[in-house]
Each structure stands twice: as C-alpha cells, then as structure tokens.
Amino acid sequence: MSLFTLLLLAFSFLPSLDALSYRFYDHTCPDLESIVAREVHLATVNDKTVPAALLRMHFHDCFIRGCDGSVLLDSKGKNTAEKDGPPNISLHAFYVIDNAKKAIESVCPSVVSCADILALAARDAVVLSGGPHWEVPKGRKDGRISKAIETRQLPAPTFNFSQLQQSFSQRGLSIEDLVALSGGHTLGFAHCSSFQNRIHNFNSSLDVDPSLQPAFAASLRSACPAHNKAKNAGSALDSTSTRFDNAYFKLILQGRSVFSSDQSLLSTPKTKALVSKFADEQQRFEKAFVKSMVKMSRIAGAGEEVRLNCRVIR
C-alpha cells in the first residue's frame, strides 16, 4: 500500500465538524433553540454570573478534545473528569445545561447532543448580556472521554503572548481569533490566584507588575493581600463585568487588565493594533468575536453519541 493511500485512510478517520449545519435540528427538534434560550434566561434572572460561566464553559470544552461536551461529564470511580481539573474548579452553572437537556429530552428524546446545547447556551449567554446574536452550527456528537489531567492544555491567565499564540494555533485559531476571543473577558470574575503573579513578588526587584496602572494595582492588592485565604476574593474582569461590550479592550490600553495574558496582547504590533481597533469600535469587535466563536465551535471532537444525561456517558 502506498504512503499516499495510507495518508488518505488516516485522514478519513479524523473527526471533522465540516458536516455541521445551521438547520441540523429543523425537523427533528424545531423548538431546540427556544428551549435553551428559555433556560439560560431563567438562570440568569436568578444569577447574573451565569452568562460568563456558560461562555467560559464552552471555551474550556472546545479547547480540550474539541467541542464534544467532555467538560460536562462527572468524575467517576478512579477517573477524575475535566470539570474537576485545577483550571475548571471554578466553573459553575452546569445545572443550566442539565435543565435544558431535561426539557429537550421531554420533546425530542435521544436527538440533541449536550455539546450542541452548550454551544447554543454560550451564544444565548452573550445575547442576554447585550452582545451580538449569531447562528450556531449544530450536529456535534458527545465525547466519552474526560480527563482532568488534560486541562493542563488550557491557556493560563499567566501566559505570555508566545504561549497564547501556540495554544490557539494548535487548535487552528489565528492571532485575530486570539484577540477577539480574549474579548470574552468582558464578562466575569477572576479569583486572586489567577493574577497573584502581577501584584505580589512580580520579579526579583519589583513587587508589582509595572504595566499595571498604579491605582488599579493598589485596588487589586487590597482585594487580594499576600497569602490571601478568602475563597471568593478577586476582581471583576472589567468595569462592566455583566455586560458584553468593548470595555475590556479599553482597560487593557489603560493598564487596567487583570491577567498577564490580557496585558500580553499589547506585546506585538499586530495584536496591539487589534486591541486599539476593538477599543474604538464595538461593532468591529462584535463582528470579529462572532466569526471567531463560530470558528472555535467547529474545533473537531471525537464525539460518538448523544447523551441522555450530560453528566454521564451512555
């Protein structure tokens, strides 16, 4: 057998999301999107942190094994699942996906994957926060493998630009995607451990990262003193942390970004120019964000099934 033939056979077994369709459930579950939107809305009315949680959950799902719902699986027996890996300990609002799945199963049994529900919920979370609406491609299958050790692959808030670029590039995402998707930090909250490196013992000669605006650095140090043990201490990721807007990019330019990874977007001319453009034009940011979200949501996973319960394999 020739090398060319072997390569063709190998690639024929690679998982692909090219078959995703915007109309995948039009006939099998026509009320799917309204059901998911309702559950996201109900949860958000009671908890304003839900949108940020769902957006982050989708991102963390896609960056490990592709968009296959593996982040939703519970640990079982000797296997520690992704959701219990160190970077995911603070993930929450899994109940929103559970509630949506239960409602969908009552009208469209064994049809809709949990991975698709999560992709839709992340979109609805952005919309409910005042962000753009977009059509979500659907047709993913749910994966059967979830390992906490693999969460080491997630880009960390302490990453420099080179590390970020490598992480995104490995998943087929460009520098433009990196900057646009980082804009998801317009929603949410960061615990002290995520930015402690910038406000205490920054290096051998400085205690605080000099790129931080002094008053902002002082506020972070006040919220997160050295050797802080308060479980829920931290900082909002931007000044409008429950509204989807471009404030995140404006704050980066002012030296008021929370993560090292945020600040690193100013370290190259190309990324700095994108940050400036998104800070100046919210519509431009929203257009880029939508494009990159759709692209990210197409990262292929090795899904094999449609789970009946998003927390366990069939």
Side-chain angles (χ1 to χ4, degrees):
M1 189 176 293
S2 70
L3 177 60
F4 178 73
T5 304
L6 285 171
L7 287 171
L8 282 178
L9 285 171
F11 281 111
S12 70
F13 288 104
L14 285 176
S16 172
L17 294 187
D18 289 342
L20 296 186
S21 166
Y22 292 106
R23 307 179 68 86
F24 191 83
Y25 297 109
D26 278 9
H27 299 295
T28 56
C29 197
D31 295 328
L32 165 63
E33 298 207 21
S34 62
I35 293 172
V36 176
R38 181 188 70 211
E39 295 300 333
V40 175
H41 172 73
L42 289 173
T44 302
V45 168
N46 293 316
D47 182 354
K48 298 301 182 185
T49 71
V50 163
L54 293 174
L55 182 58
R56 183 168 176 245
M57 194 187 298
H58 181 44
F59 182 94
H60 283 214
D61 182 41
C62 291
F63 263 60
I64 305 295
R65 295 187 167 271
C67 309
D68 67 347
S70 54
V71 74
L72 303 172
L73 288 169
D74 284 342
S75 297
K76 183 178 181 181
K78 295 182 179 180
N79 180 63
T80 305
E82 289 173 31
K83 64 168 59 170
D84 293 320
N88 286 341
I89 291 296
S90 60
L91 287 181
H92 67 286
F94 290 100
Y95 71 91
V96 181
I97 307 301
D98 293 336
N99 291 347
K101 179 62 172 175
K102 183 177 180 180
I104 290 163
E105 284 298 311
S106 69
V107 293
C108 315
S110 304
V111 170
V112 181
S113 69
C114 297
D116 277 345
I117 294 172
L118 179 53
L120 288 167
R123 186 273 311 277
D124 294 335
V126 170
V127 173
L128 278 173
S129 303
H133 181 280
W134 66 91
E135 292 298 320
V136 176
K138 297 169 286 291
R140 300 164 190 79
K141 295 297 184 185
D142 294 322
R144 296 174 56 84
I145 299 172
S146 183
K147 297 182 179 296
I149 194 170
E150 293 182 353
T151 60
R152 295 175 181 176
Q153 302 169 26
L154 289 167
T158 55
F159 270 13
N160 59 35
F161 178 72
S162 178
Q163 292 170 311
L164 284 177
Q165 184 179 15
Q166 181 180 21
S167 178
F168 277 68
S169 177
Q170 288 172 346
R171 293 159 177 84
L173 299 171
S174 68
I175 288 176
E176 290 82 0
D177 297 320
L178 191 168
V179 178
L181 291 172
S182 293
H185 288 168
T186 185
L187 299 176
F189 179 88
H191 290 92
C192 296
S193 58
S194 299
F195 56 89
Q196 198 85 354
N197 64 304
R198 302 189 75 193
I199 58 173
H200 299 292
N201 301 313
F202 178 68
N203 60 29
S204 59
S205 58
L206 293 171
D207 200 29
V208 177
D209 183 346
S211 66
L212 281 168
Q213 193 265 349
F216 183 64
S219 70
L220 293 180
R221 284 168 63 88
S222 176
C224 301
H227 311 299
N228 168 71
K229 294 183 180 180
K231 184 178 180 180
N232 294 317
S235 170
L237 286 176
D238 83 2
S239 55
T240 56
S241 61
T242 60
R243 188 166 76 240
F244 191 94
D245 55 24
N246 63 341
Y248 163 81
F249 295 103
K250 295 177 181 178
L251 294 174
I252 291 178
L253 295 173
Q254 297 168 14
R256 296 171 60 200
S257 58
V258 176
F259 297 145
S260 297
S261 58
D262 297 329
Q263 186 63 32
S264 77
L265 299 183
L266 299 184
S267 63
T268 76
K270 184 172 183 178
T271 52
K272 185 175 182 178
L274 285 168
V275 169
S276 296
K277 289 175 183 177
F278 293 158
D280 289 339
E281 301 178 52
Q282 179 160 328
Q283 287 187 335
R284 186 167 190 165
F285 160 52
E286 290 183 352
K287 184 177 180 180
F289 182 81
V290 166
K291 181 179 179 181
S292 296
M293 279 294 289
V294 172
K295 185 175 178 181
M296 184 192 77
S297 78
R298 288 182 174 275
I299 297 175
E304 304 175 37
E305 64 183 19
V306 172
R307 289 183 217 137
L308 302 182
N309 179 334
C310 293
R311 294 174 178 266
V312 297
I313 61 175
R314 295 186 70 170

